[in-house]
Amino acid sequence: MKVFDILLFPFRIIYAPVDYYIVSPLARLILKSEIIREKKLLNNSYERNRELNSLKEVQEKNIKKLSYRLDRMKGFLLDNKKLRSEVFLTRNEEIVFISYNIENIFDNIYLHGENGENNFWDSQMAFNKWGDELSVENFQTRNDLQNNGYGRVLLEFAIKKAKELGVKHISGKLSDRDKENFSWLLPFYESFGFKCIIYDEPKGPILGHANLSLN
């Protein structure tokens, strides 16, 4: 035994219980606490990393959707160079293009929605014109895109153009093929000022008319 160890021997005997019963347990407790804290930090780091990856996936999907919508609308503009197109927003703030032939605007009016999936049109109207009167011959929206507000934007546009071009009256037939939709179709027309009349005695497939005076 070295001289230094001999000199420290009495102190080691005195402080051995303190080291065994107090210092060592305290050191183990501190170490355990540090390990638990580091483990929590590591778990939080893993969770945050998962959240960031999930957010990244959502952003990538949104970018793809946006790119698809832009390419879709660009394609319609390029394909319809002979038609005039105007831009509108639906009640859901969706961008839509309405395209028409400027020489005969009421022949066919097409609506293309940025969220639509149809190659030709998402909603469409066609009229017959006699003097200062218009008759709705076709008005439809793709079944998978109903309730998107396309029909409302399209009819608003048609009425606006009709007023600008001096049309005095617009009428539409209420046929038996629309009967199942009368619960929402009649209030829809009436919200624009149309007066809807259902005949007591249907005239063949025609059950009534919707009439709008623009005077």
Side-chain angles (χ1 to χ4, degrees):
M1 181 178 293
K2 296 181 181 179
V3 175
F4 183 74
D5 292 330
I6 295 173
L7 294 174
L8 289 178
F9 184 72
F11 295 97
R12 287 176 177 171
I13 294 175
I14 295 172
Y15 289 103
V18 175
D19 179 66
Y20 182 80
Y21 292 106
I22 298 178
V23 176
S24 295
L26 181 62
R28 287 195 295 272
L29 182 62
I30 293 174
L31 180 60
K32 182 179 180 181
S33 176
E34 285 296 313
I35 291 174
I36 292 174
R37 188 177 71 86
E38 291 298 327
K39 187 176 181 180
K40 287 182 178 179
L41 290 175
L42 186 60
N43 288 336
N44 290 338
S45 177
Y46 286 148
E47 183 63 29
R48 181 57 179 164
N49 189 51
R50 283 194 293 269
E51 291 176 357
L52 291 175
N53 287 334
S54 178
L55 180 61
K56 180 181 177 182
E57 291 177 2
V58 171
Q59 289 176 335
E60 288 176 348
K61 289 180 180 178
N62 289 337
I63 291 173
K64 288 181 179 179
K65 289 181 180 179
L66 177 60
S67 178
Y68 165 78
R69 295 200 300 267
L70 292 176
D71 289 343
R72 170 182 162 79
M73 304 310 280
K74 180 180 177 181
F76 280 125
L77 291 176
L78 292 175
D79 293 340
N80 296 317
K81 288 182 178 180
K82 295 181 180 180
L83 302 178
R84 173 170 291 182
S85 296
E86 298 185 28
V87 183
F88 297 89
L89 284 176
T90 68
R91 62 191 176 191
N92 299 323
E93 298 188 351
E94 178 184 348
I95 297 173
V96 297
F97 282 104
I98 293 181
S99 303
Y100 57 92
N101 187 329
I102 192 171
E103 295 180 0
N104 191 355
I105 184 173
F106 299 112
D107 187 22
N108 279 296
I109 307 175
Y110 303 103
L111 181 147
H112 314 287
E114 65 170 314
N115 293 326
E117 297 180 354
N118 299 285
N119 295 327
F120 299 104
W121 51 264
D122 298 312
S123 189
Q124 183 255 0
M125 290 193 79
F127 299 84
N128 280 333
K129 188 175 186 296
W130 293 280
D132 59 1
E133 295 191 6
L134 284 178
S135 173
V136 181
E137 295 301 312
N138 189 22
F139 184 16
Q140 57 181 318
T141 297
R142 304 288 189 184
N143 291 334
D144 55 337
L145 294 171
Q146 289 182 355
N147 300 320
N148 280 16
Y150 292 171
R152 179 165 294 277
V153 173
L154 195 55
L155 186 54
E156 285 176 350
F157 173 82
I159 292 174
K160 176 176 178 292
K161 289 298 181 182
K163 290 179 179 179
E164 292 175 356
L165 297 174
V167 173
K168 303 299 182 183
H169 186 262
I170 300 176
S171 64
K173 299 175 182 177
L174 300 171
S175 66
D176 56 0
R177 68 179 181 179
D178 299 318
K179 187 175 182 180
E180 293 182 358
N181 299 318
F182 278 1
S183 60
W184 67 264
L185 186 60
L186 299 185
F188 171 78
Y189 277 121
E190 289 170 348
S191 70
F192 286 92
F194 281 85
K195 293 182 178 179
C196 298
I197 302 172
I198 303 297
Y199 302 136
D200 293 332
E201 296 182 5
K203 301 177 180 179
I206 305 304
L207 305 182
H209 273 83
N211 302 290
L212 176 65
S213 176
L214 300 179
N215 293 331

